[in-house]
Amino acid sequence: MDTEGRRRSGNIEDRRGMRPVRTGVGLSIGGVLFLVVLSLLGINPLPFLGVATKAPEVTMEQSSQPYQESAQEAKLRELTEVVLADTEDAWNTLLPQYGVQYTEPTLVLFSGAVQSACGTAESAMGPFYCPLDQKVYIDMSFYNELSQRFGAPGDFAQAYVIAHEIGHHVQNLVGTAEKVRAAQQRMGQAQANELSVRMELQADCYAGVWANNAARTRQLLEAGDVEEGLRAASAIGDDRIQRETQGRVVPDAFTHGSSEQRTRWFRRGLESGKPEACDTFGAQQL
Ligand SMILES: [Zn+2]
């Protein structure tokens, strides 16, 4: 990508080096006193342990010192800022054409683990979007994984990952996410999974719509970028991920779509540049 001198987004929240802190683990002071009293009375306190302990709760994040990033991490952060800014430019123009105002989401950089309004997440789960706080969460070590474990290196592969999460934000803004969640409550697991696949493929298609807009309007893409994006779309298909992690493919547990499907929908968005081309819910054939 041609990222030199581009606008960088200010909607980045840097929580690297911070850790979610679990509180309430073990005994409260009152609980300890209660158990001591029981022991003094000659009563075995063990059956009461469950009463005296509190369930673990995550309440805040703490950092001992400011995060020191390496030169490589600084480059990745800058790329992330540029790509996020470009998705803002694209969707700020595109969405109002459909009568929806685009509210720019925050992108949270984290390392190891992070607390979101959707719960605490570990890096191993990969990047995600939380509709409750409208934030995208990325541990940039995922980019290494993408390159080394899934064989999809390159800055555009990384951009694709961000654009896919932003696609989920768009789904949230236009109300698709809410509709899907409501429908999923009324159906069985296999059907709910199929709706999740359609959601994911639509986010891939929206990533393609962004790429189209970035290329046409701001000349962000360079030769080879589209191939990088397609490789990433195919690399992180559920069938590939499952094969990597479980050694076999289980179609009913798919929640992101196969490599082939992800590539197809990313391409559809990329070639059309139109969000309405991303109707994965109305499509007979994914
Ligand atoms: Zn997704």
Side-chain angles (χ1 to χ4, degrees):
M1 279 186 304
D2 176 18
T3 54
E4 272 303 296
R6 301 270 174 176
R7 183 175 81 81
R8 293 194 203 163
S9 174
N11 296 318
I12 301 263
E13 204 179 305
D14 195 348
R15 290 201 224 155
R16 290 175 295 174
M18 297 186 189
R19 291 234 154 242
V21 176
R22 286 174 202 284
T23 57
V25 182
L27 298 175
S28 61
I29 290 176
V32 171
L33 287 176
F34 174 63
L35 294 180
V36 167
V37 169
L38 286 183
S39 299
L40 289 175
L41 291 172
I43 299 166
N44 178 10
L46 276 179
F48 295 93
L49 260 174
V51 182
T53 51
K54 282 200 296 182
E57 246 174 64
V58 182
T59 53
M60 57 178 177
E61 287 170 314
Q62 259 177 6
S63 152
S64 43
Q65 59 219 40
Y67 186 76
Q68 294 292 324
E69 62 182 6
S70 67
Q72 196 221 0
E73 286 171 328
K75 264 185 77 179
L76 288 176
R77 175 182 46 75
E78 284 162 23
L79 175 80
T80 302
E81 288 167 351
V82 167
V83 171
L84 182 62
D86 204 276
T87 61
E88 290 162 1
D89 292 343
W91 290 109
N92 272 324
T93 325
L94 284 165
L95 266 199
Q97 297 171 20
Y98 301 87
V100 179
Q101 209 51 42
Y102 187 65
T103 45
E104 297 174 357
T106 297
L107 187 149
V108 179
L109 296 176
F110 72 98
S111 53
V114 74
Q115 193 199 338
S116 77
C118 299
T120 309
E122 308 269 329
S123 297
M125 290 165 58
F128 67 99
Y129 172 73
C130 171
L132 298 177
D133 55 22
Q134 305 209 345
K135 291 179 182 182
V136 170
Y137 293 83
I138 294 183
D139 181 333
M140 293 191 299
S141 66
F142 181 75
Y143 297 149
N144 292 333
E145 199 160 322
L146 194 58
S147 151
Q148 283 153 24
R149 187 161 157 217
F150 294 109
D155 57 0
F156 193 78
Q158 293 152 10
Y160 160 79
V161 170
I162 298 169
H164 170 92
E165 299 307 331
I166 297 297
H168 286 311
H169 177 59
V170 171
Q171 292 174 320
N172 194 27
L173 292 179
V174 301
T176 313
E178 181 61 47
K179 272 187 227 157
V180 165
R181 259 194 305 278
Q184 283 176 327
Q185 312 261 299
R186 304 187 300 264
M187 48 179 63
Q189 194 56 47
Q191 269 182 307
N193 280 350
E194 208 214 300
L195 270 196
S196 293
V197 169
R198 288 178 193 266
M199 276 284 272
E200 293 302 328
L201 293 176
Q202 187 174 60
D204 286 330
C205 187
Y206 285 165
V209 170
W210 160 74
N212 172 291
N213 191 277
R216 254 184 328 107
T217 319
R218 292 172 300 282
Q219 290 76 46
L220 184 72
L221 272 60
E222 288 174 324
D225 279 343
V226 167
E227 288 70 24
E228 263 178 38
L230 290 170
R231 209 176 301 134
S234 133
I236 54 186
D238 278 350
D239 48 350
R240 273 287 286 279
I241 294 175
Q242 288 197 347
R243 218 171 287 145
E244 291 275 334
T245 55
Q246 302 177 353
R248 65 202 169 92
V249 176
V250 190
D252 246 5
F254 275 21
T255 49
H256 277 76
S258 70
S259 294
E260 192 202 346
Q261 289 170 330
R262 297 198 72 168
T263 311
R264 191 180 311 135
W265 284 97
F266 173 67
R267 197 188 281 279
R268 197 164 292 181
L270 178 74
E271 282 164 7
S272 71
K274 293 188 161 62
E276 63 266 37
C278 301
D279 183 14
T280 54
F281 296 94
Q284 291 284 320
Q285 165 99 44
L286 290 175

